Amino acid sequence: MRRNNIRLTMAAMLCVLGLTGCQKAPDAVEENGIMHAQGDMERQVQDIAAAGSQEQMPAGDGSDKAAGHYQGTVGTGDNIININAEIPALPDQLYIITLKPDEGLDKDALLVFLDGESGSIEDTSEEQLKEIEENDRYNSTPDENGERFLYSKFGDHSANRLGDGKKEASFSHHTSAYYVDYGLREKYIEEYSKVAKETLISQDGMDEGAFSANRAREMLLDKLKAVGVSALAFRKIYYIEGDDCSFYQMEFVPTYDGIAVDIGADSYALGQVSPDGYAIVSEEGVAEVSLTNFCAKMADKEPVTAISFEQVLEILEQYLDSGMLESDGTILYDRVELNYYPVPNPSPALDEIEYKPELVLTPIWHIYMPLDEYVEGGYGNAVGPVHICVNAVTGELEEAD
């Protein structure tokens, strides 16, 4: 597979060309990379999704089920899933959200985002646009083995980039943004090369220390006002304590009405895009921030009725009984979240880079074990996906990886 030789940001976009030709049985269909049988099972899932209400788990009655928590086994025989997790409350309303590129990400907004310290600002927008075009051309051209490095992007063919010699900022596709303070990033690289370990910050530790993670979060959000971002959800925060300067390394996703956008597993297929954010923040300021497929304007917001987690359990039974889901019960799923899921294009072009003019988000029930727990727990021989994403409207299995 040909790799991209042009780095437009330090945060690399991970894309996997996972499309291969395979024969399908007449009674099977592949959707989002998941093979499953048509017929009775699909109808049963549809009936379960249509029949229920938005009621929460029943109150504790001496069984393993309790309000706000579920502990139990789903499935029978050797094909089972074990869950022990807090169950989030369903909000009063969920939506199917349609996003479009934000044309407000123009040079005026970019100048504010840059926050330059010098009166001399260089405009390299044309160069950046040529870099993007060359990057797409290079990756969509077959190599000597006939392979291409194809991927999907949310947005249009646009680019703006400004720099003052000390800082640089850019917008691309009207959906992505990048900023770097060269001096602070150099300090980060120096300190990171010396540090023995990173400390993963828990939710309970956000206020700890003279320079807390919450303070770094406030600094980051203040920086992101220029690109219209006022809320986000952290996936991971690491603290790097240096000799001369300390930093937070942050991974995050956008949120809508307090619900985070998440695609489940950290792997991607053609036709899928991942809104993703990355930042490095010190007491002195933001050293670097990268927003990929992250900045957008809301074009439509359609209210929908969500299925309860109790219905999800019934639906998982159907998927396990049909063999659409396979699990030996070894993995203990200790996280259940309500997320917004970027709906992938089921039929992307197979010979060119895809630019999606809009991005549709649908609510999902996300059942998973964090990857670090999976690795540390030694589950390498376990049979079963680490992430299970069930559409919270239709009950369809969006992802099982």
Coordinates of all heavy atoms in Angstrom, one line a residue, residues 270-349:
L270 N -12.9 2.4 3.9 CA -13.3 3.4 2.8 C -14.8 3.7 2.9 O -15.6 2.8 3.1 CB -12.9 2.8 1.5 CG -13.0 3.7 0.3 CD1 -12.0 4.8 0.4 CD2 -12.7 3.0 -1.0
G271 N -15.1 5.0 2.8 CA -16.5 5.4 2.9 C -16.8 6.0 4.3 O -17.9 6.6 4.5
Q272 N -15.9 5.8 5.2 CA -16.1 6.3 6.6 C -15.2 7.4 6.9 O -14.0 7.5 6.5 CB -15.8 5.1 7.5 CG -16.2 5.3 9.0 CD -16.0 4.1 9.8 OE1 -14.9 3.5 9.8 NE2 -16.9 3.7 10.6
V273 N -15.7 8.4 7.6 CA -14.9 9.5 8.1 C -15.0 9.6 9.6 O -16.0 9.2 10.2 CB -15.3 10.9 7.5 CG1 -15.2 10.8 6.0 CG2 -16.7 11.3 7.9
S274 N -14.0 10.1 10.2 CA -13.9 10.2 11.7 C -13.6 11.6 12.2 O -12.5 12.0 12.0 CB -12.8 9.2 12.2 OG -12.5 9.4 13.5
P275 N -14.6 12.3 12.7 CA -14.3 13.6 13.4 C -13.3 13.3 14.5 O -13.6 12.5 15.4 CB -15.6 14.0 13.8 CG -16.6 13.3 13.0 CD -16.0 12.0 12.7
D276 N -12.2 14.0 14.5 CA -11.1 13.7 15.5 C -10.3 14.9 15.8 O -10.0 15.8 15.0 CB -10.2 12.6 14.8 CG -9.1 12.2 15.7 OD1 -9.4 11.6 16.8 OD2 -7.9 12.5 15.4
G277 N -10.0 15.1 17.1 CA -9.2 16.2 17.6 C -8.0 15.8 18.4 O -8.0 14.8 19.1
Y278 N -7.0 16.6 18.3 CA -5.7 16.3 19.0 C -5.1 17.6 19.4 O -5.1 18.6 18.6 CB -4.8 15.5 18.1 CG -3.4 15.3 18.6 CD1 -3.1 14.3 19.5 CD2 -2.3 16.2 18.3 CE1 -1.8 14.1 20.0 CE2 -1.0 16.0 18.8 CZ -0.8 15.0 19.6 OH 0.5 14.8 20.1
A279 N -4.6 17.7 20.6 CA -4.0 19.0 21.0 C -2.8 18.8 22.0 O -2.8 17.8 22.8 CB -5.0 19.9 21.6
I280 N -1.9 19.7 22.0 CA -0.8 19.7 23.1 C -0.9 21.1 23.7 O -0.9 22.1 23.0 CB 0.6 19.5 22.4 CG1 0.6 18.2 21.7 CG2 1.7 19.6 23.5 CD1 1.9 18.0 20.8
V281 N -1.1 21.1 25.0 CA -1.3 22.4 25.8 C -0.3 22.5 26.9 O -0.2 21.5 27.7 CB -2.7 22.5 26.3 CG1 -3.0 23.8 27.0 CG2 -3.7 22.3 25.1
S282 N 0.3 23.6 27.1 CA 1.2 23.9 28.3 C 0.7 25.1 29.0 O -0.3 25.8 28.5 CB 2.6 24.1 27.8 OG 2.8 25.4 27.3
E283 N 1.3 25.4 30.1 CA 0.9 26.6 30.9 C 1.1 27.9 30.1 O 0.4 28.9 30.2 CB 1.7 26.7 32.2 CG 1.3 25.7 33.3 CD 2.1 25.9 34.5 OE1 3.2 25.4 34.6 OE2 1.5 26.6 35.5
E284 N 2.0 27.8 29.1 CA 2.3 29.0 28.3 C 1.4 29.2 27.1 O 1.3 30.2 26.5 CB 3.8 28.9 27.8 CG 4.8 28.8 28.8 CD 6.2 28.7 28.2 OE1 6.5 29.4 27.2 OE2 7.0 27.9 28.7
G285 N 0.6 28.1 26.8 CA -0.4 28.3 25.7 C -0.6 27.0 25.0 O 0.0 25.9 25.4
V286 N -1.3 27.0 23.9 CA -1.6 25.9 23.1 C -0.4 25.7 22.1 O -0.1 26.6 21.3 CB -2.9 26.0 22.3 CG1 -3.1 24.9 21.3 CG2 -4.1 26.1 23.2
A287 N 0.3 24.6 22.2 CA 1.4 24.3 21.3 C 1.0 23.8 19.9 O 1.6 24.2 18.9 CB 2.3 23.3 21.9
E288 N -0.1 23.0 19.9 CA -0.5 22.5 18.6 C -1.9 22.0 18.8 O -2.3 21.5 19.8 CB 0.4 21.3 18.2 CG 0.0 20.7 16.9 CD 1.0 19.6 16.5 OE1 1.7 19.0 17.4 OE2 1.1 19.3 15.3
V289 N -2.7 22.1 17.7 CA -4.1 21.5 17.7 C -4.4 21.1 16.3 O -4.1 21.9 15.3 CB -5.1 22.5 18.3 CG1 -5.2 23.8 17.5 CG2 -6.5 21.9 18.4
S290 N -5.0 20.0 16.2 CA -5.4 19.5 14.9 C -6.9 19.0 14.9 O -7.2 18.2 15.8 CB -4.5 18.3 14.4 OG -5.0 17.7 13.2
L291 N -7.7 19.5 14.1 CA -9.1 19.1 14.0 C -9.4 18.5 12.6 O -9.3 19.2 11.6 CB -10.0 20.3 14.2 CG -9.8 21.1 15.5 CD1 -10.7 22.3 15.5 CD2 -10.0 20.3 16.7
T292 N -9.7 17.2 12.5 CA -9.9 16.6 11.2 C -11.4 16.2 11.1 O -11.9 15.5 12.0 CB -9.0 15.3 11.1 OG1 -7.7 15.7 11.3 CG2 -9.2 14.7 9.8
N293 N -12.0 16.6 10.0 CA -13.5 16.4 9.8 C -14.3 16.8 11.0 O -15.4 16.3 11.3 CB -13.7 14.9 9.6 CG -13.0 14.3 8.4 OD1 -13.0 14.9 7.3 ND2 -12.3 13.2 8.6
F294 N -13.8 17.8 11.7 CA -14.3 18.2 13.0 C -15.2 19.4 13.0 O -16.2 19.5 13.8 CB -13.1 18.5 13.9 CG -13.4 18.5 15.4 CD1 -12.9 17.4 16.2 CD2 -14.0 19.5 16.0 CE1 -13.1 17.4 17.5 CE2 -14.2 19.5 17.4 CZ -13.8 18.5 18.2
C295 N -14.9 20.4 12.1 CA -15.6 21.7 12.1 C -16.7 21.6 11.0 O -16.4 21.4 9.9 CB -14.7 22.8 11.8 SG -13.2 22.8 12.8
A296 N -17.9 21.9 11.4 CA -19.0 21.8 10.5 C -20.2 22.7 11.0 O -20.3 23.0 12.2 CB -19.5 20.4 10.3
K297 N -21.1 23.0 10.1 CA -22.3 23.6 10.5 C -23.5 22.7 10.4 O -23.5 21.8 9.5 CB -22.6 24.9 9.6 CG -22.8 24.6 8.2 CD -23.1 25.9 7.4 CE -23.3 25.6 5.9 NZ -23.5 26.8 5.1
M298 N -24.5 22.8 11.3 CA -25.6 21.9 11.3 C -26.6 22.3 10.2 O -27.1 23.4 10.3 CB -26.2 21.9 12.7 CG -27.2 20.8 12.9 SD -27.9 20.7 14.5 CE -26.5 20.4 15.5
A299 N -26.9 21.4 9.3 CA -27.8 21.7 8.2 C -29.2 21.2 8.5 O -30.2 21.8 8.1 CB -27.3 21.1 6.9
D300 N -29.4 20.1 9.3 CA -30.7 19.6 9.6 C -30.6 18.8 10.9 O -29.5 18.3 11.3 CB -31.1 18.7 8.5 CG -32.6 18.2 8.7 OD1 -33.4 19.1 9.1 OD2 -32.9 17.1 8.4
K301 N -31.7 18.7 11.7 CA -31.7 18.1 13.0 C -33.1 17.4 13.1 O -34.1 18.1 13.4 CB -31.5 19.1 14.1 CG -31.2 18.5 15.4 CD -30.9 19.6 16.4 CE -30.5 19.1 17.8 NZ -30.2 20.2 18.7
E302 N -33.2 16.1 12.8 CA -34.5 15.4 12.8 C -34.7 14.6 14.1 O -33.9 13.7 14.4 CB -34.5 14.5 11.6 CG -35.8 13.6 11.5 CD -35.7 12.5 10.5 OE1 -34.7 12.5 9.7 OE2 -36.6 11.7 10.4
P303 N -35.7 14.9 14.9 CA -36.0 14.2 16.1 C -36.3 12.7 15.8 O -37.0 12.4 14.8 CB -37.2 14.9 16.7 CG -37.3 16.2 16.0 CD -36.7 16.0 14.6
V304 N -35.8 11.8 16.6 CA -36.1 10.4 16.5 C -36.4 9.8 17.8 O -36.0 10.3 18.9 CB -34.9 9.7 15.8 CG1 -34.7 10.1 14.4 CG2 -33.6 9.9 16.6
T305 N -37.1 8.7 17.8 CA -37.3 7.9 19.0 C -36.3 6.8 19.2 O -36.1 6.0 18.3 CB -38.7 7.3 19.0 OG1 -39.7 8.3 18.8 CG2 -39.0 6.5 20.2
A306 N -35.6 6.8 20.3 CA -34.5 5.9 20.6 C -35.0 4.6 21.3 O -36.0 4.7 22.1 CB -33.4 6.5 21.4
I307 N -34.4 3.5 21.0 CA -34.7 2.3 21.7 C -34.0 2.2 23.0 O -33.0 2.9 23.2 CB -34.3 1.0 20.8 CG1 -32.8 1.0 20.5 CG2 -35.1 1.0 19.5 CD1 -32.3 -0.2 19.8
S308 N -34.6 1.6 24.0 CA -34.0 1.5 25.3 C -32.9 0.5 25.3 O -32.8 -0.4 24.4 CB -35.1 1.1 26.3 OG -35.5 -0.2 26.1
F309 N -32.1 0.5 26.4 CA -31.0 -0.5 26.5 C -31.6 -1.9 26.7 O -31.0 -2.9 26.2 CB -30.1 -0.2 27.7 CG -28.9 -1.1 27.7 CD1 -27.9 -0.9 26.7 CD2 -28.7 -2.1 28.7 CE1 -26.8 -1.8 26.7 CE2 -27.6 -2.9 28.7 CZ -26.6 -2.8 27.7
E310 N -32.8 -2.0 27.3 CA -33.4 -3.3 27.4 C -33.7 -3.9 26.0 O -33.6 -5.1 25.8 CB -34.7 -3.2 28.3 CG -35.3 -4.5 28.7 CD -36.3 -4.4 29.8 OE1 -36.9 -3.3 29.8 OE2 -36.5 -5.3 30.5
Q311 N -34.2 -3.1 25.1 CA -34.4 -3.5 23.8 C -33.1 -3.9 23.1 O -33.1 -4.9 22.3 CB -35.1 -2.4 22.9 CG -36.5 -2.1 23.3 CD -37.0 -0.9 22.6 OE1 -36.9 0.2 23.1 NE2 -37.6 -1.0 21.4
V312 N -32.0 -3.2 23.4 CA -30.7 -3.5 22.8 C -30.3 -4.9 23.2 O -29.8 -5.7 22.4 CB -29.6 -2.5 23.3 CG1 -28.3 -3.0 22.8 CG2 -29.9 -1.1 22.7
L313 N -30.6 -5.3 24.5 CA -30.3 -6.6 24.9 C -31.0 -7.7 24.2 O -30.5 -8.7 23.8 CB -30.6 -6.8 26.4 CG -29.7 -5.9 27.4 CD1 -30.2 -6.0 28.8 CD2 -28.2 -6.2 27.3
E314 N -32.3 -7.4 23.9 CA -33.1 -8.4 23.1 C -32.5 -8.5 21.7 O -32.5 -9.6 21.1 CB -34.6 -7.9 23.0 CG -35.3 -7.9 24.3 CD -36.7 -7.5 24.2 OE1 -37.4 -8.1 23.3 OE2 -37.2 -6.5 24.8
I315 N -32.1 -7.4 21.1 CA -31.6 -7.3 19.8 C -30.3 -8.1 19.7 O -30.0 -8.8 18.8 CB -31.5 -5.9 19.3 CG1 -32.8 -5.3 19.0 CG2 -30.6 -5.8 18.0 CD1 -32.9 -3.8 18.7
L316 N -29.4 -7.9 20.7 CA -28.1 -8.6 20.8 C -28.4 -10.1 20.8 O -27.6 -10.9 20.2 CB -27.3 -8.2 22.0 CG -26.7 -6.8 21.9 CD1 -26.0 -6.4 23.2 CD2 -25.7 -6.6 20.7
E317 N -29.4 -10.6 21.5 CA -29.8 -12.0 21.5 C -30.0 -12.5 20.1 O -29.5 -13.6 19.7 CB -31.0 -12.2 22.3 CG -30.9 -12.0 23.8 CD -30.5 -13.3 24.6 OE1 -30.2 -14.3 23.9 OE2 -30.5 -13.2 25.8
Q318 N -30.7 -11.7 19.3 CA -31.0 -12.1 17.9 C -29.7 -12.2 17.1 O -29.5 -13.2 16.3 CB -31.9 -11.1 17.2 CG -33.3 -10.9 17.9 CD -34.1 -12.2 17.8 OE1 -34.0 -13.0 16.8 NE2 -34.8 -12.5 18.9
Y319 N -28.8 -11.2 17.3 CA -27.5 -11.2 16.5 C -26.7 -12.4 16.9 O -26.0 -13.0 16.1 CB -26.8 -9.9 16.7 CG -27.5 -8.7 16.0 CD1 -27.5 -7.5 16.6 CD2 -28.1 -8.9 14.8 CE1 -28.1 -6.4 16.0 CE2 -28.7 -7.8 14.2 CZ -28.7 -6.5 14.8 OH -29.3 -5.5 14.2
L320 N -26.7 -12.7 18.2 CA -25.9 -13.9 18.7 C -26.5 -15.2 18.2 O -25.7 -16.1 17.7 CB -25.8 -13.9 20.2 CG -24.9 -12.8 20.8 CD1 -25.2 -12.6 22.3 CD2 -23.4 -13.1 20.6
D321 N -27.8 -15.3 18.3 CA -28.4 -16.6 17.8 C -28.2 -16.8 16.3 O -28.1 -18.0 15.9 CB -29.9 -16.5 18.2 CG -30.2 -16.6 19.7 OD1 -29.3 -17.0 20.4 OD2 -31.4 -16.3 20.1
S322 N -28.2 -15.7 15.6 CA -28.1 -15.9 14.1 C -26.6 -16.1 13.7 O -26.3 -16.4 12.5 CB -28.6 -14.6 13.4 OG -27.8 -13.5 13.7
G323 N -25.7 -15.8 14.6 CA -24.2 -15.9 14.2 C -23.7 -14.7 13.6 O -22.5 -14.6 13.3
M324 N -24.5 -13.6 13.6 CA -24.0 -12.3 13.0 C -23.0 -11.8 14.0 O -22.1 -11.1 13.6 CB -25.2 -11.4 12.9 CG -24.9 -10.1 12.2 SD -26.5 -9.2 11.9 CE -25.8 -7.6 11.4
L325 N -23.2 -12.0 15.3 CA -22.2 -11.7 16.3 C -21.6 -13.0 16.8 O -22.4 -13.9 17.1 CB -22.8 -10.9 17.4 CG -22.8 -9.4 17.4 CD1 -23.5 -8.8 18.7 CD2 -21.4 -8.8 17.3
E326 N -20.3 -13.0 17.0 CA -19.6 -14.2 17.6 C -18.8 -13.7 18.8 O -18.0 -12.8 18.7 CB -18.8 -14.9 16.5 CG -19.5 -15.5 15.4 CD -18.7 -16.3 14.5 OE1 -17.4 -16.3 14.7 OE2 -19.2 -16.8 13.5
S327 N -19.0 -14.4 19.9 CA -18.3 -14.0 21.1 C -18.3 -15.2 22.1 O -19.3 -15.9 22.2 CB -18.9 -12.8 21.8 OG -18.4 -12.6 23.1
D328 N -17.1 -15.5 22.6 CA -17.0 -16.6 23.5 C -17.2 -16.3 25.0 O -17.1 -17.1 25.9 CB -15.7 -17.4 23.4 CG -14.5 -16.5 23.7 OD1 -14.7 -15.3 24.2 OD2 -13.3 -16.9 23.5
G329 N -17.6 -15.0 25.3 CA -17.9 -14.5 26.6 C -16.7 -14.2 27.4 O -16.8 -13.8 28.6
T330 N -15.5 -14.2 26.8 CA -14.3 -13.9 27.6 C -14.2 -12.4 27.9 O -13.8 -12.0 29.0 CB -13.0 -14.4 26.8 OG1 -13.1 -15.8 26.6 CG2 -11.7 -14.1 27.6
I331 N -14.5 -11.6 26.9 CA -14.4 -10.2 27.1 C -15.5 -9.7 28.0 O -16.7 -10.0 27.7 CB -14.4 -9.4 25.7 CG1 -13.3 -9.9 24.8 CG2 -14.4 -7.9 25.9 CD1 -13.3 -9.4 23.4
L332 N -15.2 -8.9 29.0 CA -16.2 -8.2 29.8 C -16.4 -6.8 29.3 O -15.5 -6.0 29.5 CB -15.8 -8.3 31.3 CG -16.8 -7.6 32.3 CD1 -18.1 -8.3 32.2 CD2 -16.2 -7.6 33.7
Y333 N -17.5 -6.5 28.8 CA -17.8 -5.2 28.3 C -18.2 -4.3 29.5 O -19.3 -4.5 30.1 CB -18.9 -5.2 27.2 CG -18.5 -6.0 26.0 CD1 -18.8 -7.4 25.9 CD2 -17.8 -5.4 25.0 CE1 -18.5 -8.1 24.8 CE2 -17.4 -6.2 23.9 CZ -17.8 -7.5 23.8 OH -17.4 -8.3 22.7
D334 N -17.4 -3.4 29.9 CA -17.6 -2.6 31.0 C -17.9 -1.1 30.7 O -17.9 -0.2 31.6 CB -16.4 -2.6 32.0 CG -15.1 -2.2 31.4 OD1 -15.1 -1.8 30.3 OD2 -14.1 -2.3 32.2
R335 N -18.2 -0.8 29.5 CA -18.6 0.6 29.1 C -19.8 0.5 28.2 O -19.8 -0.3 27.2 CB -17.4 1.3 28.3 CG -16.1 1.4 29.0 CD -16.2 2.5 30.1 NE -14.9 2.8 30.5 CZ -14.1 2.1 31.3 NH1 -14.5 0.9 31.7 NH2 -12.8 2.5 31.6
V336 N -20.8 1.3 28.5 CA -21.9 1.5 27.6 C -22.2 3.0 27.5 O -22.3 3.7 28.5 CB -23.2 0.8 28.1 CG1 -24.4 1.1 27.3 CG2 -23.0 -0.7 28.2
E337 N -22.2 3.5 26.3 CA -22.4 4.9 26.0 C -23.4 5.1 25.0 O -23.7 4.3 24.1 CB -21.1 5.6 25.6 CG -20.0 5.6 26.6 CD -18.7 6.2 26.1 OE1 -18.7 6.6 24.9 OE2 -17.7 6.2 26.9
L338 N -24.1 6.3 25.0 CA -24.8 6.8 23.9 C -24.0 7.8 23.1 O -23.4 8.7 23.7 CB -26.1 7.5 24.4 CG -27.4 6.7 24.5 CD1 -28.4 7.6 25.3 CD2 -27.9 6.3 23.2
N339 N -23.7 7.5 21.8 CA -22.9 8.3 21.0 C -23.6 8.7 19.7 O -24.6 8.1 19.4 CB -21.6 7.6 20.6 CG -20.7 7.4 21.8 OD1 -20.1 6.3 22.0 ND2 -20.5 8.4 22.7
Y340 N -23.1 9.7 19.0 CA -23.5 9.9 17.6 C -22.5 9.3 16.7 O -21.2 9.4 16.9 CB -23.6 11.4 17.3 CG -24.9 12.0 17.8 CD1 -25.0 13.0 18.7 CD2 -26.1 11.6 17.2 CE1 -26.2 13.6 19.1 CE2 -27.3 12.1 17.6 CZ -27.3 13.1 18.5 OH -28.6 13.6 18.9
Y341 N -22.9 8.6 15.7 CA -22.1 7.8 14.8 C -22.2 8.3 13.4 O -23.2 8.5 12.9 CB -22.6 6.3 14.8 CG -21.9 5.3 14.0 CD1 -20.8 4.7 14.5 CD2 -22.2 5.0 12.7 CE1 -20.1 3.7 13.8 CE2 -21.5 4.1 12.0 CZ -20.5 3.4 12.5 OH -19.8 2.5 11.8
P342 N -21.0 8.6 12.8 CA -21.0 9.1 11.4 C -21.3 8.0 10.5 O -20.6 7.0 10.3 CB -19.5 9.6 11.2 CG -18.9 9.6 12.6 CD -19.6 8.6 13.4
V343 N -22.5 8.2 9.8 CA -22.9 7.1 8.9 C -22.0 7.1 7.7 O -21.8 8.0 7.0 CB -24.4 7.4 8.4 CG1 -24.8 6.4 7.4 CG2 -25.3 7.5 9.6
P344 N -21.4 5.9 7.4 CA -20.5 5.8 6.3 C -21.2 5.6 5.0 O -22.4 5.3 4.9 CB -19.7 4.5 6.6 CG -20.6 3.7 7.4 CD -21.5 4.7 8.2
N345 N -20.5 5.9 3.9 CA -21.0 5.7 2.6 C -20.9 4.2 2.2 O -19.7 3.7 2.2 CB -20.3 6.5 1.5 CG -20.8 6.3 0.1 OD1 -21.7 5.5 -0.1 ND2 -20.2 7.1 -0.8
P346 N -22.0 3.4 2.1 CA -21.8 2.0 1.8 C -21.3 1.6 0.5 O -20.8 0.5 0.3 CB -23.3 1.5 2.0 CG -24.1 2.7 1.6 CD -23.4 3.9 2.1
S347 N -21.3 2.6 -0.5 CA -20.8 2.3 -1.8 C -19.8 3.4 -2.3 O -20.2 4.2 -3.3 CB -22.0 2.2 -2.8 OG -22.8 1.1 -2.4
P348 N -18.7 3.6 -1.7 CA -17.8 4.7 -2.1 C -17.1 4.3 -3.4 O -17.0 3.1 -3.8 CB -16.7 4.7 -0.9 CG -16.7 3.3 -0.4 CD -18.2 2.8 -0.5
A349 N -16.6 5.3 -4.1 CA -15.9 5.1 -5.3 C -14.6 4.3 -5.0 O -13.9 4.5 -4.0 CB -15.5 6.4 -6.0

